[in-house]
Amino acid sequence: MVHNALRLLPNEILLGILEMLHARDLLACNATCLYLRTFIANSVSLQYALELFACGMLESARRAHTLPVTERLKRLQLYTAAWKKLLWTGNVALSHLVGYKPTFSVSGDTLVLLHRGSFVTVDVVSRLCVQRLPSKLRTIDEHHVVHVVPGTLRLSNVKLDSAQGVIIVGEGPLSRPTRTQVRLMSNGELHPLAYLANGGVAATARVHDICGDFLLEADHGPLRQPRLRNWKTGTVETSGMPLDFTSLFFLDRRHIFYMATSGRNLANLAHLSVVPLGPASPAPSSCYTFTLPEFMQYSVTFAYLRTCPLDTEPSPHGYFYSDPADRLISIVLSTMNRDRQDHFIIDVPACTLTRYIAAHPVSPGNPTVTVPWDAWGTDGARVTVLPRITMMGTISGSRRAIVYRRSAPNDAGVLTVLDYSPRRVARALARGSATVLHGAEVDAEHTGSDFGPLRTTLPCIATETPLPGGMAGIGVAAWICENGVLFAQCHPFSGKIIDAWAYTI
Amino acid sequence: MPTIVSVDDSTVPGEGSSRLLLLVSSDNKHIVVEEDIMSRSRFISKQVEGFEATSQRHAILLPFSSFVLNKVIEYCSHYRGYYLLEDDPDAAPPGRSPVREWDQEFLDVDRNMLLRIIKAAHYLEIKSLVGSCARAIADMIRGKTTEEMREILGVENDFTPEEEHSPSSKCTG
């Protein structure tokens, strides 16, 4: 037993010391030892400080510790209220963009949209648009930068990590980038794009996810072994990586998760898997397989995964640090049962998976664990059927945005924001707020009569905002980020973005 | 254990109007100090009030070494007669204690000494010194990485690998 000098300090002194620190230092303290982590976890005042930081509401290190607990709670309530009543912001300078559903990446309050040049639209220039939404509550101004890619190169893939100010772009045809660049964006000013000459990324690999210094890349083709690469040094690590993925992300620093869907091969049904990485993994090829609801397993025709970037390193600019506990994983999939097609969204907070993994470690004798849906999904996920006329919307942090059209006679567009953050949900439940949705139900019509209705019980906070007249139905694209939601009205035929607006906090 | 000695007013000649106190440290050193100096400490003031109520004066036993005690006395004698807002029991506690340059130099000691001083100050209820020490410790770890913090604070990484890399321990609350 090592002597821990801090244990001898009276609690109120230790609290006094920690309250003088910025939330960024608290996060580092949180990782030093068990005693400090427990201490921070049990202190309301410090938890509020961390949460304010994760909301982007703690503006300066100098003022951080002067706020009493009541003031911290008040600020958190302001933040929650701002998301309930979003502000209509005028036009956002988002032009020059063609493409109805451009490739995008969201991180913190910044989003990157890709316009792929093409000879069909006679607009052969590829552009990278970096957009930060304004916020009154956080006193953040709007920033907008369009970077024109020289030549007729086409941009294919983009990953943004605003905590580090890094954009990774693949250039070339969509399926097969011929060049992958790491670009640095100065976050505070959004001065764009100093090249970091290829940043150690393999030229022809597609980058699937980024987490701190590491990124997940994979080549193309049937034997695409994914690689873990440190993009600053170029060193590569490969161990226990899956081959049969359709999309691949970091769950946290030591785990990756991926989805495998293959209707043809019976061994590869639709499921979500988590693989421990590197030396921490107790057995080679250890893996957790989280199966989807039974009615989906054999009938998935199309599926993709999406998640928010994992900002493990707090931003030096201090704007955003997304709390890893507040991370959402989203599965969007279509099923084909007999003659009908249905579309579903499965929202899984990342902590559902991490909690299960922490509680059930793999052993060398039993390296692969199959987790049935009932064991993880019923209480830890939310399955919803997508209404007919829906713009799927995106996710950011713990929030999902859905834009859909109310049926006649109103016919108006509605923006729904669902918040899955465990702490905010717990607080809303404790206060008896009416906006908490207690789970969702998919009726037997969608699941098929063999399986019966499917009920999931994960609570979330729902807020609805009506869209202004005329913004409904076809051609509305929406992207959510930490400051609000950006809408774009697209031309019904060419798909060109005609105009863009935002709802912000 | 030092025996409790009774200090009679007449045996110790007071300097000016201030009377003397006998403090006994944990290493059994007897230190005589003017009551005026130590009035900054709420603990000592309460003891003195007790003396006046019972008109019995005796030595005050303190659970820390004479080295630390001398440091605290040095602090108190520097601020003898000064008014510090934090030490005023009637004033509202200030949100943020002011930075005092002398304190920064005075507390330019190693981590263990700093921890001992802050504990002594806490025991003696000298709020200004507790505040200054807390600030000094906070300054030491501000902006450091986790590894550097462990070194500065003298704590050992006692996480299991799973715990260390678990994204957060605060899913609830």
Side-chain angles (χ1 to χ4, degrees):
Chain A
M1 186 63 209
V2 184
H3 175 70
N4 188 337
L6 293 177
R7 277 171 208 269
L8 301 175
L9 279 183
N11 280 357
E12 61 261 44
I13 291 189
L14 188 53
L15 182 65
I17 295 171
L18 294 177
E19 276 188 340
M20 286 192 185
L21 296 175
H22 189 258
R24 210 176 298 139
D25 300 316
L26 279 183
L27 286 168
C29 280
N30 201 35
T32 50
C33 68
L34 211 51
Y35 180 70
L36 271 182
R37 180 179 289 193
T38 323
F39 189 88
I40 291 171
N42 290 336
S43 156
V44 178
S45 168
L46 300 178
Q47 283 300 310
Y48 282 163
L50 285 177
E51 207 174 328
L52 279 171
F53 184 45
C55 297
M57 297 277 290
L58 202 61
E59 62 285 330
S60 76
R62 271 183 296 110
R63 286 198 55 207
H65 67 273
T66 63
L67 297 176
V69 183
T70 48
E71 176 66 20
R72 289 180 180 177
L73 181 63
K74 207 172 118 201
R75 283 182 176 220
L76 281 174
Q77 284 167 346
L78 265 181
Y79 174 77
T80 320
W83 270 100
K84 278 186 193 152
K85 203 168 162 42
L86 291 169
L87 287 176
W88 176 251
T89 310
N91 284 31
V92 171
L94 192 72
S95 52
H96 317 291
L97 271 170
V98 188
Y100 171 43
K101 283 180 182 170
T103 310
F104 70 95
S105 178
V106 182
S107 168
D109 57 354
T110 311
L111 67 128
V112 172
L113 297 166
L114 268 191
H115 159 56
R116 292 187 283 275
S118 125
F119 290 103
V120 178
T121 53
V122 204
D123 192 358
V124 290
V125 187
S126 294
R127 296 185 191 92
L128 192 66
C129 168
V130 184
Q131 173 83 40
R132 179 194 277 159
L133 283 193
S135 165
K136 221 173 204 173
L137 187 69
R138 292 176 178 147
T139 56
I140 291 175
D141 297 331
E142 186 193 341
H143 284 279
H144 176 80
V145 167
V146 176
H147 177 76
V148 177
V149 175
T152 50
L153 271 177
R154 297 203 293 171
L155 300 175
S156 60
N157 182 24
V158 64
K159 288 287 164 199
L160 167 71
D161 185 347
S162 71
Q164 299 201 87
V166 163
I167 307 174
I168 293 173
V169 236
E171 292 166 0
L174 183 60
S175 59
R176 202 179 164 76
T178 53
R179 210 164 64 153
T180 306
Q181 301 280 350
V182 177
R183 292 151 193 258
L184 302 177
M185 119 191 124
S186 140
N187 209 6
E189 297 291 320
L190 275 183
H191 283 313
L193 306 177
Y195 282 78
L196 201 73
N198 235 355
V201 185
T204 55
R206 185 188 170 95
V207 175
H208 286 261
D209 200 10
I210 173 169
C211 164
D213 290 355
F214 287 93
L215 46 84
L216 274 173
E217 58 172 35
D219 290 329
H220 301 266
L223 287 174
R224 42 178 190 173
Q225 174 89 56
R227 293 179 296 259
L228 189 66
R229 189 188 281 274
N230 184 324
W231 58 267
K232 282 180 183 161
T233 62
T235 48
V236 174
E237 225 182 278
T238 39
S239 65
M241 295 281 213
L243 289 173
D244 57 337
F245 59 90
T246 47
S247 37
L248 193 64
F249 294 98
F250 281 103
L251 179 63
D252 55 46
R253 281 188 163 184
R254 306 311 304 172
H255 296 89
I256 54 173
F257 70 95
Y258 67 97
M259 184 147 165
T261 49
S262 159
R264 276 150 286 170
N265 182 355
L266 280 181
N268 274 341
L269 302 167
H271 58 72
L272 190 66
S273 296
V274 173
V275 180
L277 281 178
S281 149
S285 74
S286 54
C287 170
Y288 294 85
T289 304
F290 294 87
T291 56
L292 296 185
E294 210 177 337
F295 75 92
M296 287 179 186
Q297 286 180 20
Y298 298 93
S299 57
V300 171
T301 55
F302 159 81
Y304 68 86
L305 270 178
R306 180 155 282 155
T307 187
C308 340
L310 179 64
D311 299 337
T312 50
E313 298 301 330
S315 157
H317 310 287
Y319 273 117
F320 284 103
Y321 161 75
S322 74
D323 190 336
D326 281 359
R327 245 173 110 231
L328 198 60
I329 297 167
S330 150
I331 307 169
V332 179
L333 50 78
S334 314
T335 61
M336 185 70 92
N337 273 326
R338 296 184 192 92
D339 56 346
R340 61 174 294 150
Q341 188 163 28
D342 290 303
H343 309 284
F344 295 93
I345 302 179
I346 307 178
D347 288 332
V348 191
C351 59
T352 295
L353 303 186
T354 47
R355 218 181 287 148
Y356 190 92
I357 291 164
H360 303 84
V362 286
S363 58
N366 186 21
T368 56
V369 180
T370 303
V371 192
W373 168 259
D374 289 338
W376 69 279
T378 310
D379 296 331
R382 182 187 157 91
V383 184
T384 37
V385 189
L386 280 178
R388 272 290 139 87
I389 306 164
T390 307
M391 171 55 219
M392 226 108 65
T394 57
I395 55 175
S396 163
S398 61
R399 291 191 187 81
R400 151 174 297 289
I402 304 176
V403 179
Y404 64 94
R405 191 166 80 184
R406 282 232 176 88
S407 50
N410 283 4
D411 217 27
V414 178
L415 160 74
T416 304
V417 177
L418 303 179
D419 189 347
Y420 290 92
S421 163
R423 270 170 294 158
R424 279 194 286 270
V425 169
R427 212 174 294 139
L429 280 174
R431 223 174 284 128
S433 171
T435 52
V436 177
L437 297 182
H438 296 274
E441 193 166 279
V442 179
D443 56 27
E445 187 199 341
H446 297 283
T447 60
S449 53
D450 301 348
F451 298 101
L454 176 80
R455 179 153 179 80
T456 42
T457 60
L458 183 73
C460 67
I461 304 171
T463 41
E464 283 195 352
T465 314
L467 294 188
M471 273 194 70
I474 308 160
V476 178
W479 300 276
I480 188 169
C481 72
E482 291 288 310
N483 273 1
V485 188
L486 177 74
F487 297 93
Q489 179 80 56
C490 309
H491 191 272
F493 301 119
S494 73
K496 182 169 178 130
I497 290 178
I498 301 166
D499 221 337
W501 307 270
Y503 268 123
T504 55
I505 61 167
Chain B
M1 270 304 276
T3 49
I4 294 176
V5 274
S6 173
V7 182
D8 191 8
D9 281 351
S10 57
T11 55
V12 188
E15 188 186 309
S17 62
S18 182
R19 295 195 287 185
L20 294 184
L21 286 172
L22 179 60
L23 306 178
V24 182
S25 62
S26 61
D27 52 351
N28 211 355
K29 294 265 165 57
H30 294 227
I31 295 166
V32 176
V33 63
E34 282 176 51
E35 195 183 296
D36 210 21
I37 294 176
M38 293 309 287
S39 64
R40 188 166 298 285
S41 154
R42 288 285 300 144
F43 175 79
I44 302 272
S45 316
K46 277 185 232 160
Q47 293 277 327
V48 169
E49 277 166 31
F51 295 159
E52 269 153 23
T54 58
S55 53
Q56 277 281 318
R57 297 178 71 80
H58 56 75
I60 298 170
L61 299 179
L62 296 171
F64 39 84
S65 67
S66 57
F67 190 52
V68 177
L69 182 56
N70 278 328
K71 199 80 175 152
V72 176
I73 291 172
E74 187 190 341
Y75 174 87
C76 289
S77 34
H78 180 265
Y79 283 110
R80 182 182 193 172
Y82 277 81
Y83 173 79
L84 299 179
L85 183 64
E86 304 101 289
D87 290 330
D88 187 348
D90 303 324
R96 187 177 162 208
S97 53
V99 185
R100 285 182 290 266
E101 263 177 45
W102 185 84
D103 289 14
Q104 288 182 334
E105 265 172 53
F106 172 72
L107 293 172
D108 189 13
V109 291
D110 68 353
R111 178 238 313 158
N112 282 336
M113 188 63 198
L114 205 49
L115 291 178
R116 278 190 210 127
I117 294 175
I118 196 172
K119 272 170 68 190
H122 180 68
Y123 185 86
L124 290 171
E125 296 175 60
I126 310 175
K127 287 213 178 106
S128 56
L129 184 54
V130 171
S132 292
C133 287
R135 181 189 299 281
I137 297 174
D139 284 343
M140 282 197 312
I141 54 180
R142 185 169 291 135
K144 299 290 193 296
T145 64
T146 303
E147 268 310 315
E148 289 167 333
M149 274 189 197
R150 284 196 191 120
E151 207 165 288
I152 292 165
L153 297 174
V155 298
E156 188 101 333
N157 181 5
D158 52 0
F159 292 123
T160 60
E162 284 79 28
E163 279 172 342
E164 183 167 14
H165 296 291
S166 80
S168 175
S169 59
K170 49 186 170 54
C171 259
T172 55

